[in-house]
Amino acid sequence: MRVDGNSGKGMVADMREVRITGRHIVLRQMEYTDTDHIVAWRNKERVRSHFIYRETFTPKGHENWIHTMVETGKAVQFIICEKETLRPVGSVYFRDIDRNKKEAEYGIFIGEDDAVGKGYGSETACLAVKYAFGEMGLDKLVLRVFTDNEAAVRSYERAGFVRESVLEAVECSDGEKKDMFFMTLVKAAKISFVIPCYRSEMTLPKVVEEIRTAMKGLGKAGKPYDHEIVLVNDCSPDDTFGTIRRLAEEDGKIIGINLARNFGQHAALMAGFHYVSGDIVVCLDDDGQTPADEVGKLLEGIEQGSDVVYAKYEHKKHSLFRNFGSLVNEEMAKVMLGKPKDLYVSSYFAARRFVVEEMKRYTNAFPYVIGLVLRTTRRISNVTVTHREREVGTSGYTLGKLFGLWFNGFTAFSVKPLRIAMVIGCTCSAAGFLYGIYTVIKKFVNPDVPMGFSSLMAAIVFMGGMMMVMLGLVGEYVGRMYISMNSSPQYVIRETVNENGQEK
C-alpha cells in the first residue's frame, strides 16, 4: 500500500489530498463531482438491498451527507477506482468517527456491475483498514452486514473483522426485517524486533524465520500481532549485511541498517530504536541462543502490566568466560545503578514503546541500555525461557569488550564511583593521620625505635597509587564529558535497506 498526500493539515483537509494505491485499485478522496456516480450506484437494487436505508437516493441527499458528515470530519469517504484506467467502480467510507474512543463504523459498496467478483472489495477493505489504523489513528472499526450477504461477510473476515453478535430482525426503511452480523476489528499491537548483528550471516536467516513462525503461532492462538524486524549490522567483517539485504528484498517487514564501523551492541540497539514503529519493541540476539519462539512469554508479561520484561535463563549455555562477564555486569548494575536484587537482566527483552522513546532521548556517545531502562521505569519483570547452545561461531564479546561494557555502565549512569573514591580517599587520609599519631607516640614512649625506610616507602607508594586511581577515575568522567560536548556520535549509518528492499 502506498499513501500519497500531506497528512499534517487536519483530518478533512488531509483526506482531500490522499490517494491510496494498491495492486489493482486506487482509493481517492470523494469529490462533489462524484455525486452522480454515488446516486446511480446507491439506487441500484443490488446495492440498495444491502442497506438498511432503502429510500431513493438523491443528489440533494448526497450533498447533505457531504456538508453534515464529510466536511465536519464525522465521516471519511473514498472512491474506489480501477488502477489501470482510474475508472470509478464503488465507494468505501468511515462514518460516526469518534476520535475520543478512536473508533468508527466501516462501509463499502461496489457500484459497477462488471466490477463485482474481481476481489476489489477485499483489497479495498485491507487498504482502508490499514489507513484507518495508521493515518487516521483509529483503534477499532465496527460494521453491520446482513447475514445472507455471504460474499461480503467473507470479504470482511479476510480483512480481519470478527463476528461479535447477531442483530435479530433489524427493520429496514421499507419494512423488511432481516438478521445482521455485528462485526468488529480491533487494531492489533505491532511488535518491532531489533537485532544487532555481528558475524551472523549463517545464523540470521534461521532467527528471522523463527520470528515469523512465532508470530503466526500467536495469531493462531488468538493473539494476532503485526510485526517488523530491524536488523542492524555492526560493521561485521563477514557478509552479514549481504544476508540482511537479501532478507529485506524477500520480506517487506524487514528493515536493514549498516553501520559505518563497529560501535558495539548497545549502540547498534540505539540505532535500531530510531527505525521502529511498533507498540512493543523486542530485542534479541542474532546467534539463535535467545529463543524467538518463546517471545509470547515476554509479550504476556507486557500485557500483564510490566513496562519492560527481561528473559531469565535457568541454565545458560554461554562459555564460562562469558558467564563471568555477565556476572560482573549484573553485580555492577546492582551496586552502581540500583538494579533490584531479584531482577535478572539479559539481551533478550521486551519494552513498551514509551520506554524506547525515552531511551532515544539519550544522545551521548556511551549508551548503556540497561541503565537507560532502569532510569525510565521500575515496572520491570522476568519470565523464564530456554537458553540454547550456540550452533555456529563464537561470541563476539572479548575480555576488552566486556570490561568496556562494564566500565561504560557505571561511569555513564552513576556518580557512585566518584563517591566511593571520595570515601576511600577520606579513609586513607584518616588512616595516614592516625598512623602518624601512632608513630609520634611510639617515638615518645621508646626513643630508641628506628624510623623505618620500608614503612615510609610503603605508605608513599600506597597513597600515591590511590591518588592516581582517583585522578584516573575523575579523568574518565571529564573525558567522557569532553567527548559528549564534541557531539561524538553513538553510531554512524552507512546505508539502509527499507521496507521494500530498496537501498537508501
Side-chain angles (χ1 to χ4, degrees), residues 267 270-271 274 356-368 372 375 413 480 483-491:
M270 294 296 289
H274 284 78
V356 173
E357 290 299 319
E358 180 62 29
M359 293 165 70
K360 286 164 55 178
R361 292 177 56 197
Y362 183 83
T363 58
N364 289 338
F366 305 98
Y368 187 61
L372 292 171
R375 81 175 190 177
F413 292 93
R480 286 173 178 260
I483 292 174
S484 297
M485 288 173 61
N486 280 309
S487 300
S488 181
Q490 286 181 351
Y491 55 86

Side-chain angles (χ1 to χ4, degrees), residues 406-471:
W406 169 69
F407 199 71
N408 179 52
F410 75 73
T411 55
F413 292 93
S414 176
V415 295
K416 284 187 178 180
L418 292 175
R419 294 172 181 169
I420 293 173
M422 183 177 65
V423 170
I424 293 176
C426 291
T427 302
C428 290
S429 298
F433 179 73
L434 293 175
Y435 184 74
I437 294 176
Y438 167 75
T439 302
V440 172
I441 294 175
K442 188 176 181 180
K443 185 66 176 177
F444 277 116
V445 173
N446 186 4
D448 296 330
V449 174
M451 299 300 293
F453 175 77
S454 298
S455 59
L456 177 62
M457 290 304 298
I460 292 174
V461 171
F462 175 74
M463 295 301 297
M466 291 304 301
M467 289 175 63
M468 292 301 295
V469 170
M470 306 312 167
L471 287 174

Side-chain angles (χ1 to χ4, degrees), residues 73-74 95-105 137-140:
K74 297 177 182 178
R95 61 173 296 163
D96 299 328
I97 299 173
D98 189 327
R99 291 180 178 79
N100 292 323
K101 295 182 178 180
K102 295 185 178 182
E103 65 180 42
E105 182 173 347
L138 302 180
D139 291 337
K140 182 179 181 180

